[in-house]
Amino acid sequence: MPLTPEQQADVDDWDTFRHTQRMADHWWWRPGWRPDRHYLTWYFVFHDQALTDQVASFQRELADLDYLDPVPIDGLHMTVQGVAFADEMPPDQVTALAKAADEQCADIEPFTLTVGPIAAYPGGTFLRAAPWAPVAELRERLRTAIGTVLGPDQVSNEPARFKPHISVTYCNSTPPAAEVIGRLTELRQRPPISLPVASVDLLELRRDGHTYRWDIRHHIDLTP
């Protein structure tokens, strides 16, 4: 049976990572970012017990690698669509975006993702999520809402490589990648879990040391 696009991406990306020489520091300051600047973005925020247990288990297995910062259990998320820096959007635009997103997402129903296996890129480790289609559909609705408020040419491409995933750890330096490759080769054998998705949030995101924290600016429940 042929692989699904999601499975093929996992195979291809894992093969690429297995040939990576060194990890990379996830925490470099990207263009426009600084310690006192916040970013508006759409996330799925997760509090599911099965996901919490799965992530905590992987983090325990990697805990002795001090160059990997664990994502706080109360900070588990999936990036869906970036918007803009918070200081670039006055309150009335944020309100208009929330209203437009409500309208765009009104007929999207909750869905379930399969989460796993664990994988990696130079900047950290993460859990794959599939299928991509329901996430991509929701993302397109949110992009339409952003374009309605800010203009089509102001819709961010963040995340640039859209492959739905949930981060487990972020790398804080540039050690050789061989140890992570070895650990994950075994950990990738663990079975995936099911994860319900029933809401999406507009967050005001900030960096707090080696952690992402946020305030929720708008919440949308996906209703059957």
Side-chain angles (χ1 to χ4, degrees):
M1 182 179 295
L3 298 177
T4 66
E6 294 92 336
Q7 291 169 331
Q8 189 63 58
D10 179 61
V11 169
D12 293 344
D13 289 353
W14 177 245
D15 186 62
T16 296
F17 183 70
R18 286 193 306 108
H19 293 89
T20 297
Q21 297 300 308
R22 303 195 75 84
M23 302 296 287
D25 185 359
H26 171 83
W27 299 111
W28 66 282
W29 288 101
R30 290 153 182 79
W33 279 86
R34 58 178 185 263
D36 62 343
R37 204 174 196 201
H38 299 176
Y39 189 73
L40 294 171
T41 183
W42 291 98
Y43 271 16
F44 297 142
V45 178
F46 299 115
H47 305 287
D48 181 82
Q49 191 62 52
L51 177 65
T52 296
D53 292 345
Q54 184 86 314
V55 170
S57 175
F58 284 129
Q59 290 178 344
R60 286 193 296 271
E61 294 288 348
L62 301 170
D64 60 310
L65 306 181
D66 59 6
Y67 50 83
L68 294 181
D69 297 320
V71 175
I73 292 301
D74 64 353
L76 298 180
H77 65 274
M78 178 186 292
T79 304
V80 179
Q81 174 62 46
V83 181
F85 285 104
D87 57 13
E88 296 175 344
M89 287 190 68
D92 62 319
Q93 281 192 329
V94 177
T95 299
L97 173 58
K99 183 175 184 295
D102 283 339
E103 294 170 354
Q104 286 292 326
C105 297
D107 62 344
I108 294 184
E109 298 186 355
F111 53 89
T112 298
L113 297 174
T114 297
V115 176
I118 194 169
Y121 71 113
T125 65
F126 60 91
L127 291 169
R128 296 282 184 189
W132 293 350
V135 185
E137 178 183 356
L138 179 57
R139 185 181 192 230
E140 283 306 310
R141 302 290 187 92
L142 295 172
R143 289 173 63 83
T144 298
I146 296 167
T148 299
V149 175
L150 300 182
D153 59 339
Q154 295 300 309
V155 180
S156 171
N157 286 327
E158 177 65 30
R161 297 176 69 243
F162 183 66
K163 296 180 181 180
H165 66 277
I166 300 167
S167 293
V168 175
T169 66
Y170 294 117
C171 189
N172 60 36
S173 59
T174 60
E179 197 162 25
V180 176
I181 294 168
R183 298 287 184 92
L184 265 58
T185 297
E186 179 179 350
L187 294 176
R188 280 172 58 80
Q189 305 309 309
R190 293 190 181 179
I193 62 169
S194 294
L195 178 64
V197 179
S199 63
V200 64
D201 291 294
L202 177 64
L203 308 180
E204 184 169 331
L205 186 70
R206 63 187 184 276
R207 276 178 49 172
D208 183 2
H210 286 182
T211 303
Y212 290 111
R213 293 296 187 186
W214 55 72
D215 296 306
I216 295 176
R217 299 291 297 273
H218 187 66
H219 177 83
I220 299 176
D221 285 317
L222 308 180
T223 55

